[in-house]
Amino acid sequence: MNITLLETLVDKVMAELQKKLVSQSPQNQSVQVTPCESQQTFVDESLHDHLENVELIGHVEDIKKSEPSIPRPKWKEGLAELVASTPARIGVWRTGTRPLTKTMLQFRCDHAAAVDAVYGEVSQRVLDEFDLFTVETTYGNTENYLKRPDMGRILTDEAVALIKEKCKMNPQVQIVVSDGLSANAVDANLPDVFPALLDSLRMHGLDIGTPFFVKGGRVACMDHIGEILQPDVLVLLIGERPGLVTANSMSAYMCYRPRKGVVESQRTVISNIHKGGTPPIEAGAHIGTILKKMLEQKASGVNLVM
C-alpha cells in the first residue's frame, strides 16, 4: 500500500472538511457537521471548541499528529508537555463514541506502513551500495516466516556454500544484515549505521570480516553463521517488528563467539534505532565501542560489564 498516497488522502479529506465547515458557518458561528442527530449538540460543541482552542479554523489540514485534540483541557500546558514527551497516541479525543476522522485515517495509514514493512523487500540499491551479497534462510516465504520462526534461524545449504566461498574465515568482527520483520528499517537506517560502524571498527583497529545480507533471517541465525565463520564477535543489524509509532526501527544484536545453543541472555542488543529513537549514526559508532569491549572481556550479554 502506498503510504504517500494515504497521507495525501488524509490531507484531502481534512481540506474538504475545512471547506465544508467554512461554507456552513460563514460568520464563524456554530458549526453543523454530523448527520447523527443524537450526537448533534455534542459534536457541534466539541468540534467548535476544539477548533477554537487550538486555533485551527482555516488551517485544519495543518493539524500535526502530536498535537492534542482534547477540547477545554483542565491543564492545557501539562497536556501539551505530556503529548510532546512521547509519540504514543494520547490526547486524540473522540466524536461521540468513535475516534475523530483524522485519528482513524492516521491509524490506518500507520497500520499500512507496518504491513508494508513486514511484506516489503530491502532495496537492492541499498545492498549494492555496501557491496552486500544475499543469502537466504529456510523460511521459504513470508507466511512461513511469520508462523515458523525456527525456519528463519537456519541457512539453506546454498547459503552455507556461498558464505564459505565469499567470506573471510575467523575474523574478529563479522557484520551481518537482515530484513527481519521490517525491510523498511534496513532501507531507512543502514545508509547511516553501516558507515559509522565501519569507521568505529577501523578506529579501534579491529579485523572486519566479509559482510553480507540474510533474507528471511531471525535473530538466532547469527548462531548458525557463527558456527560457519567462527568470528570472535558477530553483530546482526536486523529490522524490528513494526508498530503504529514507527515501522522503521532497527536493532543490533551482538554476541561473543556465537554458536548453536547460545541463550538469549548471552546477547547484547541496541534497539530502537531510527530517526525518532537512537540516532542511526550514533548507534553505529556505539556498536563499534561495545564490540571492542566484548573482545577485551571475551563476553557478551549479561556477562559483559559496560
Side-chain angles (χ1 to χ4, degrees):
M1 189 173 293
N2 191 314
I3 304 307
T4 303
L5 181 60
L6 277 175
E7 292 176 340
T8 303
L9 178 61
V10 171
D11 291 339
K12 288 185 176 180
V13 169
M14 299 310 296
E16 289 300 320
L17 177 59
Q18 175 200 355
K19 293 178 182 178
K20 185 176 181 180
L21 292 173
V22 172
S23 64
Q24 292 181 350
S25 55
Q27 298 177 355
N28 289 337
Q29 295 176 351
S30 179
V31 179
Q32 307 294 324
V33 292
T34 175
C36 181
E37 294 183 0
S38 62
Q39 299 172 353
Q40 185 80 37
T41 302
F42 174 82
V43 172
D44 289 352
E45 181 182 0
S46 63
L47 182 57
H48 177 79
D49 290 346
H50 163 67
L51 294 175
E52 184 178 43
N53 286 343
V54 295
E55 300 179 350
L56 290 178
I57 295 178
H59 303 283
V60 180
E61 68 274 22
D62 293 330
I63 294 175
K64 301 301 182 185
K65 196 175 192 178
S66 59
E67 293 176 341
S69 299
I70 298 176
R72 296 193 301 271
K74 290 185 178 179
W75 186 21
K76 186 175 181 179
E77 295 77 12
L79 175 63
E81 183 178 349
L82 186 63
V83 171
S85 68
T86 174
R89 296 163 194 274
I90 58 176
V92 296
W93 202 237
R94 65 187 186 277
T95 295
T97 56
R98 68 170 177 82
L100 300 176
T101 299
K102 182 174 178 64
T103 301
M104 284 300 300
L105 291 173
Q106 286 175 338
F107 176 85
R108 295 180 66 176
C109 182
D110 292 340
H111 182 263
V115 173
D116 275 356
V118 172
Y119 286 90
E121 293 192 359
V122 174
S123 167
Q124 187 59 46
R125 180 186 58 78
V126 173
L127 301 180
D128 291 342
E129 180 179 354
F130 301 109
D131 198 23
L132 302 176
F133 69 91
T134 299
V135 297
E136 295 190 18
T137 65
T138 59
Y139 79 109
N141 56 59
T142 304
E143 297 304 324
N144 279 339
Y145 180 83
L146 296 175
K147 297 174 182 176
R148 294 283 306 274
D150 57 306
M151 299 178 75
R153 297 168 185 156
I154 304 300
L155 301 177
T156 63
D157 292 340
E158 294 77 10
V160 173
L162 190 60
I163 290 172
K164 289 181 177 178
E165 175 189 344
K166 287 180 169 288
C167 294
K168 180 193 298 184
M169 296 295 293
N170 307 114
Q172 281 185 298
V173 179
Q174 176 64 48
I175 302 173
V176 180
V177 181
S178 181
D179 46 6
L181 282 163
S182 176
N184 292 350
V186 176
D187 286 345
N189 300 298
L190 194 66
D192 289 330
V193 173
F194 199 82
L197 174 58
L198 291 180
D199 288 345
S200 178
L201 295 177
R202 288 166 183 151
M203 183 183 71
H204 291 300
L206 300 179
D207 174 50
I208 307 171
T210 309
F212 58 90
F213 173 71
V214 177
K215 188 175 182 180
R218 291 279 182 173
V219 171
C221 75
M222 59 198 301
D223 302 339
H224 193 185
I225 297 169
E227 290 203 338
I228 298 169
L229 296 177
Q230 300 289 314
D232 289 336
V233 293
L234 188 150
V235 54
L236 175 67
L237 304 173
I238 187 169
E240 280 290 7
R241 187 185 307 277
L244 294 175
V245 172
T246 180
N248 294 332
S249 181
M250 172 186 275
S251 286
Y253 286 84
M254 295 161 275
C255 187
Y256 180 75
R257 294 192 174 174
R259 62 204 177 280
K260 291 182 179 178
V262 164
V263 296
E264 297 309 309
S265 62
Q266 292 178 293
R267 306 189 204 279
T268 299
V269 61
I270 298 176
S271 61
N272 210 28
I273 301 172
H274 59 92
K275 65 179 182 180
T278 302
I281 293 179
E282 293 184 17
H286 187 47
I287 292 168
T289 301
I290 292 178
L291 293 173
K292 180 73 164 48
K293 289 184 178 180
M294 286 182 178
L295 291 169
E296 292 172 348
Q297 299 179 28
K298 299 182 179 180
S300 58
V302 296
N303 296 321
L304 182 68
V305 179
M306 298 296 290

